[in-house]
Amino acid sequence: GSVFTVGGPSPKPTFPDLAKAAEWLAFKGTDADSVTLQVANNTSNPTFHNWYTNPPTFKRNLTPGCTFSDASVIVKPAGAVNSVRLQNQIDDLDYLVVDGLPKLTLKDLTIRGEYDNVGTGVLVKNNSRLVLDNVNAIADVRSDNTGTNPIDLKNTVHTGNVQTGTNQILTLIGPIQMNGITTSVPGLRLGSGSTLNKGPGTVLNLNGGSWINNGVGTLNLDPSSEINITGNFTTQVIGGTTPSTFTKLNILGSGQLTLNQGPTVYDWNQTGSTLVNTSNRILTITGKVKSGTGRFASSGAGRVSLNGPSPVEVEGRFGNLEINSAFGAVAKADIQVDQTMILTEGKLDMA
């Protein structure tokens, strides 16, 4: 089989495959601007593969992937203070596994697969912790169900899923952006019993990304944090197996948002032209709601239900609209109901 030799001063370490050589480079590092991996007994590949260039960029396609294990390390671009020299871009990986690491920090990097959409999976397992700091992840990032495998995201951009395993912890710090793609429904996916921590001032931008709640145990959403639903996509959803409760959602996009579960929202702040399809679900508003330049549409028993501990403020265009509280609702501007107005309890004050 192939033997990979890391070039440089003797003794030259050898490895059984390129993935093991990648591990060695990640954890041992190098002071050289470039490292050559010499391939012996392998006529199907070029004799030499550049690992680093200047500026350093990961060039080699690792198949099937790269596994980090048995160390605690911070990986940052070459030249950064106290950094392990890996690369500015982790590119063309089929997968990256964080296995048994007390803490692995990937900082100021891009992680991506071979294609323009999601082609890479990052898995955190075996009691590991992964910190992504100022990372652009064109990849799926997920924690395993077994053990304790927290993931911290700081100032990151994602094109792909961020998925917590059962009873795992996800912490969001700083602006976090989740981009949609037209071929699937990537988004934030919260597993059963998981915990989401969203720190003060943290803005989560679901720019085509979806919100999927599959039984989250704890939502620690700081009141000063924001959730923005943006983009021009038709695949964006709020869904999962369990309805979610939000203090405030800012709906800023121009596409379509579908409710696959019935969330409860205190402040539905819609300023864009999004078409919100409640389908046959019930969107419960406990404080205020407006549709901006967009509108709500419903099917079957689906509706926007105004049910708060005080009069709910309402304005905009709705499909099915229900008043369902003794405190009723008060119109703050014009209201248009395209389908059915349902007066279950309370009244609508047109003041």
Side-chain angles (χ1 to χ4, degrees):
S2 302
V3 176
F4 295 88
T5 302
V6 177
S10 296
K12 299 181 178 66
T14 60
F15 305 91
D17 54 52
L18 191 56
K20 291 300 181 183
E23 286 188 44
W24 186 89
L25 284 174
F27 297 126
K28 299 298 184 183
T30 175
D31 293 326
D33 289 332
S34 65
V35 171
T36 299
L37 295 183
Q38 180 175 348
V39 183
N41 303 322
N42 188 343
T43 59
S44 63
N45 288 318
T47 303
F48 297 97
H49 300 295
N50 288 329
W51 189 269
Y52 298 93
T53 59
N54 196 2
T57 303
F58 191 58
K59 289 291 189 181
R60 179 62 180 160
N61 181 9
L62 292 186
T63 304
C66 184
T67 298
F68 293 90
S69 59
D70 301 328
S72 181
V73 65
I74 297 177
V75 179
K76 295 188 291 186
V81 177
N82 298 323
S83 68
V84 172
R85 295 179 62 94
L86 185 58
Q87 61 269 336
N88 283 338
Q89 185 174 96
I90 303 177
D91 200 1
D92 288 345
L93 285 175
D94 289 334
Y95 64 78
L96 186 153
V97 179
V98 183
D99 186 351
L101 291 183
K103 183 179 180 181
L104 171 65
T105 300
L106 300 180
K107 183 177 175 65
D108 301 328
L109 298 171
T110 296
I111 304 172
R112 63 173 298 143
E114 292 186 76
Y115 307 104
D116 291 335
N117 56 10
V118 178
T120 298
V122 179
L123 173 63
V124 185
K125 61 181 291 187
N126 195 18
N127 297 310
S128 297
R129 179 184 177 192
L130 174 65
V131 178
L132 299 184
D133 188 350
N134 194 33
V135 165
N136 180 15
I138 308 173
D140 289 336
V141 179
R142 66 184 180 91
S143 52
D144 192 51
N145 293 330
T146 303
T148 301
N149 306 296
I151 297 175
D152 298 359
L153 305 180
K154 301 178 180 181
N155 308 318
T156 54
V157 178
H158 301 266
T159 304
N161 291 302
V162 174
Q163 181 173 337
T164 63
T166 301
N167 299 322
Q168 303 301 325
I169 299 173
L170 174 65
T171 300
L172 309 181
I173 301 172
I176 307 295
Q177 179 156 314
M178 303 201 66
N179 296 323
I181 57 178
T182 58
T183 56
S184 64
V185 188
L188 183 62
R189 297 175 179 270
L190 304 171
S192 175
S194 62
T195 297
L196 174 64
N197 298 315
K198 191 165 174 285
T202 294
V203 178
L204 173 61
N205 292 306
L206 295 173
N207 182 39
S210 295
W211 174 281
I212 308 296
N213 179 356
N214 288 324
V216 64
T218 304
L219 283 174
N220 294 321
L221 306 181
D222 188 274
S224 67
S225 65
E226 299 276 349
I227 298 177
N228 299 327
I229 297 179
T230 66
N232 182 16
F233 292 84
T234 60
T235 55
Q236 200 169 15
V237 303
I238 296 176
T241 61
T242 305
S244 299
T245 299
F246 303 96
T247 300
K248 184 178 182 180
L249 289 179
N250 298 313
I251 315 299
L252 311 176
S254 57
Q256 177 172 317
L257 173 66
T258 300
L259 305 185
N260 290 340
Q261 275 292 351
T264 297
V265 183
Y266 175 78
D267 183 357
W268 185 281
N269 180 37
Q270 182 166 333
T271 58
S273 59
T274 299
L275 168 61
V276 181
N277 181 10
T278 71
S279 58
N280 62 350
R281 308 293 183 174
I282 300 174
L283 167 61
T284 301
I285 304 296
T286 60
K288 57 186 74 173
V289 59
K290 60 181 179 180
S291 67
T293 57
R295 63 186 178 91
F296 293 91
S298 303
S299 60
R303 59 194 183 274
V304 177
S305 179
L306 310 183
N307 186 350
S310 60
V312 175
E313 299 177 3
V314 56
E315 62 181 89
R317 183 178 176 185
F318 300 85
N320 295 327
L321 179 64
E322 178 185 34
I323 312 298
N324 189 21
S325 167
F327 295 98
V330 57
K332 303 302 289 185
D334 290 346
I335 297 173
Q336 177 176 329
V337 179
D338 295 331
Q339 293 168 268
T340 304
M341 182 75 181
I342 306 168
L343 298 175
T344 301
E345 184 181 12
K347 65 180 181 179
L348 175 62
D349 185 350
M350 295 302 295

